[in-house]
Amino acid sequence: MIILGIESSCDESAAAVVETPCRVLSNSVSSQIALHGPYGGVVPEIACREHVRALPTVIADAIAQAGIGWESIDAVAVTYGPGLASSLLVGLASAKALSLRLDVPLVAVNHLQGHLFSPFLSPGMPDPAAVCPFVSLIVSGGHTCLVRVDAPGRCELLGQTIDDAAGEAFDKGANLLGLGYPGGPALDRLAREGDPRYVRFPRGRVDAKSWTGGLDPRFCFSFSGLKTALRYYLEAFPLAPDGGQRLRDVAASYQEAIVEALLRRVTDAMEACGTGMLAVGGGVSLNSRLRGILASTLAREGRQLLLTAPAYCGDNAAMIAAVAGLGLGGRGEAVAARDVCPNLSVLEAY
Ligand code: KG4
Ligand code: ZN
């Protein structure tokens, strides 16, 4: 089957064509970062209007790059949550219209399941069903969670952040360091030339008394205190106007606190689940220190790591089409009548 995927949950307008289960024929993404940068974050009204403008071009691009005609499309898959309501609406309305016009099924996909299966989009990757059970770490701008995957459609949420997401921690820390928006990539670059042991920032342990919604605190994250710790540190020890080497050292130390917190939870979760396989996806999985430390630690322990290829770490539609290609997502008449779901949780599906 040939599936057209559409993604518009935040500030990326994306379309892709995937052959079942996970072979990417095209992947077209139009980023809005330049439009939101001056505001220091995503402005929902701007994002929604930009999706209206960009999606038709991005969809036409995806079809052209795949070298197929409209008549080859067997289904349209679209993100219906979580994300910004007005942004999601543009994608869902476009997908509904296309599925009616092409007379093919509409598949409603949970964006987080897209990140969960994104490692399997690269050529040569195994079939997800063949490597179950595995642990998945999803690290993005809005979410941070650990999931045990027993089969593509049978997953259990092990833990998640109780406050900020890892990407938010990167962006807020980068903002305090004057690195602009989104600051994650800039902080990553600066940190490569810094000393990660320069300042010891808190690792955000979650104790049993914290709110975890019944999840095991060992697998939950807390990043809001880290950003406050950086703010207090900078008030006590201000950086020179040009930043200099100290800026690099503080950036590296801050990044290290996030990366170590992720690493600790991941190894505990793999231990508890008795699995030797970890899959990692989401925008923060582009972080070079996180990729490096996961690769060396897991290799040392004789465990296997499936990292998402850089092209599929950020928001994209290939991962949305792949979820439909794996037979997941909502289908049928109820889906055509369904609205967007901005607060959808990681494992929630039709
Ligand atoms: O998955 P994504 O593209 O969008 C969401 O679904 O949220 O993730 C975006 C997040 C942003 O917070 C961005 O700063 C972060 O991923 N990010 C990074 C890096 N590249 C992107 N964080 C740390 N290091 C990076 N290299
Ligand atoms: Zn995302």
Side-chain angles (χ1 to χ4, degrees), residues 7 9-10 12 111-112 115 138 140-143 282-283 313-316 319:
E7 153 66 37
S9 63
C10 190
E12 255 97 32
H111 178 85
L112 295 171
H115 281 307
I138 303 169
S140 73
H143 297 86
C313 286
D315 289 346
N316 66 89
M319 67 182 193

Short mmCIF file of all heavy atoms in Angstrom, two decimals, residues 7 9-10 12 111-112 115 138 140-143 282-283 313-316 319, ligand 2:
data_model
loop_
_atom_site.label_atom_id
_atom_site.label_comp_id
_atom_site.label_asym_id
_atom_site.label_seq_id
_atom_site.Cartn_x
_atom_site.Cartn_y
_atom_site.Cartn_z
N GLU A 7 1.24 16.03 8.39
CA GLU A 7 1.55 16.39 9.77
C GLU A 7 1.55 17.92 9.90
O GLU A 7 2.22 18.61 9.14
CB GLU A 7 2.92 15.79 10.13
CG GLU A 7 3.73 16.52 11.20
CD GLU A 7 3.12 16.48 12.59
OE1 GLU A 7 2.53 15.44 12.97
OE2 GLU A 7 3.21 17.51 13.29
N SER A 9 1.05 19.38 13.51
CA SER A 9 0.65 19.53 14.91
C SER A 9 1.25 20.75 15.59
O SER A 9 0.73 21.24 16.57
CB SER A 9 1.03 18.27 15.70
OG SER A 9 2.43 18.11 15.71
N CYS A 10 2.38 21.27 15.07
CA CYS A 10 3.00 22.41 15.73
C CYS A 10 3.44 23.44 14.68
O CYS A 10 2.60 24.09 14.08
CB CYS A 10 4.15 21.93 16.61
SG CYS A 10 4.79 23.20 17.69
N GLU A 12 5.66 22.77 11.98
CA GLU A 12 6.20 22.21 10.74
C GLU A 12 5.03 21.74 9.88
O GLU A 12 4.20 20.98 10.36
CB GLU A 12 7.11 21.01 11.03
CG GLU A 12 8.57 21.31 10.88
CD GLU A 12 9.25 21.62 12.20
OE1 GLU A 12 8.81 21.07 13.21
OE2 GLU A 12 10.18 22.45 12.21
N HIS A 111 0.48 11.59 17.10
CA HIS A 111 1.80 12.14 16.77
C HIS A 111 2.92 11.45 17.55
O HIS A 111 4.01 11.18 17.01
CB HIS A 111 1.77 13.65 17.10
CG HIS A 111 3.04 14.37 16.89
ND1 HIS A 111 3.42 14.88 15.68
CD2 HIS A 111 4.05 14.68 17.74
CE1 HIS A 111 4.59 15.46 15.79
NE2 HIS A 111 5.00 15.36 17.04
N LEU A 112 2.67 11.13 18.82
CA LEU A 112 3.72 10.53 19.66
C LEU A 112 4.03 9.10 19.21
O LEU A 112 5.16 8.64 19.33
CB LEU A 112 3.31 10.57 21.12
CG LEU A 112 3.21 12.00 21.67
CD1 LEU A 112 2.59 12.01 23.05
CD2 LEU A 112 4.58 12.65 21.68
N HIS A 115 6.64 9.50 16.56
CA HIS A 115 8.01 9.58 17.09
C HIS A 115 8.47 8.19 17.56
O HIS A 115 9.64 7.83 17.40
CB HIS A 115 8.08 10.58 18.24
CG HIS A 115 8.13 12.01 17.80
ND1 HIS A 115 9.05 12.48 16.88
CD2 HIS A 115 7.38 13.09 18.15
CE1 HIS A 115 8.87 13.79 16.68
NE2 HIS A 115 7.85 14.18 17.43
N ILE A 138 10.99 8.75 23.99
CA ILE A 138 10.50 9.82 23.11
C ILE A 138 10.86 11.15 23.77
O ILE A 138 10.42 11.44 24.88
CB ILE A 138 8.97 9.73 22.91
CG1 ILE A 138 8.58 8.37 22.34
CG2 ILE A 138 8.48 10.85 21.99
CD1 ILE A 138 7.09 8.10 22.35
N SER A 140 10.94 15.15 22.91
CA SER A 140 10.65 16.22 21.95
C SER A 140 10.46 17.53 22.69
O SER A 140 10.72 17.63 23.89
CB SER A 140 9.40 15.86 21.15
OG SER A 140 8.26 15.99 21.96
N GLY A 141 9.99 18.55 21.96
CA GLY A 141 9.79 19.86 22.58
C GLY A 141 8.63 19.86 23.56
O GLY A 141 8.62 20.63 24.51
N GLY A 142 7.66 18.99 23.34
CA GLY A 142 6.48 18.99 24.20
C GLY A 142 6.35 17.76 25.07
O GLY A 142 5.52 17.74 25.99
N HIS A 143 7.13 16.71 24.81
CA HIS A 143 6.95 15.44 25.53
C HIS A 143 8.28 14.78 25.85
O HIS A 143 9.25 14.92 25.11
CB HIS A 143 6.10 14.48 24.70
CG HIS A 143 4.71 14.99 24.46
ND1 HIS A 143 4.42 15.83 23.42
CD2 HIS A 143 3.57 14.82 25.17
CE1 HIS A 143 3.14 16.16 23.49
NE2 HIS A 143 2.60 15.56 24.53
N GLY A 282 12.29 11.73 18.38
CA GLY A 282 11.89 13.08 18.81
C GLY A 282 13.01 14.07 18.56
O GLY A 282 14.18 13.69 18.43
N GLY A 283 12.67 15.36 18.50
CA GLY A 283 13.62 16.41 18.16
C GLY A 283 14.88 16.41 19.01
O GLY A 283 15.98 16.64 18.51
N CYS A 313 13.99 12.92 13.00
CA CYS A 313 13.93 13.23 14.44
C CYS A 313 12.90 14.33 14.72
O CYS A 313 12.08 14.21 15.63
CB CYS A 313 15.29 13.68 14.95
SG CYS A 313 16.48 12.35 15.13
N GLY A 314 12.96 15.41 13.98
CA GLY A 314 12.00 16.50 14.16
C GLY A 314 10.66 16.08 13.58
O GLY A 314 10.50 14.96 13.06
N ASP A 315 9.68 16.97 13.69
CA ASP A 315 8.34 16.62 13.20
C ASP A 315 8.36 16.42 11.69
O ASP A 315 8.90 17.23 10.95
CB ASP A 315 7.36 17.72 13.60
CG ASP A 315 7.10 17.70 15.09
OD1 ASP A 315 7.46 16.68 15.74
OD2 ASP A 315 6.53 18.67 15.61
N ASN A 316 7.77 15.32 11.25
CA ASN A 316 7.71 14.99 9.83
C ASN A 316 6.50 14.10 9.58
O ASN A 316 5.91 13.58 10.53
CB ASN A 316 9.01 14.25 9.41
CG ASN A 316 9.13 12.89 10.08
OD1 ASN A 316 8.65 11.90 9.55
ND2 ASN A 316 9.74 12.82 11.27
N MET A 319 6.82 9.64 9.50
CA MET A 319 6.55 8.84 10.71
C MET A 319 5.05 8.65 10.92
O MET A 319 4.62 7.65 11.48
CB MET A 319 7.21 9.50 11.94
CG MET A 319 6.63 10.83 12.34
SD MET A 319 7.55 11.53 13.76
CE MET A 319 6.44 12.86 14.26
ZN ZN B 2 6.95 15.99 17.63
#
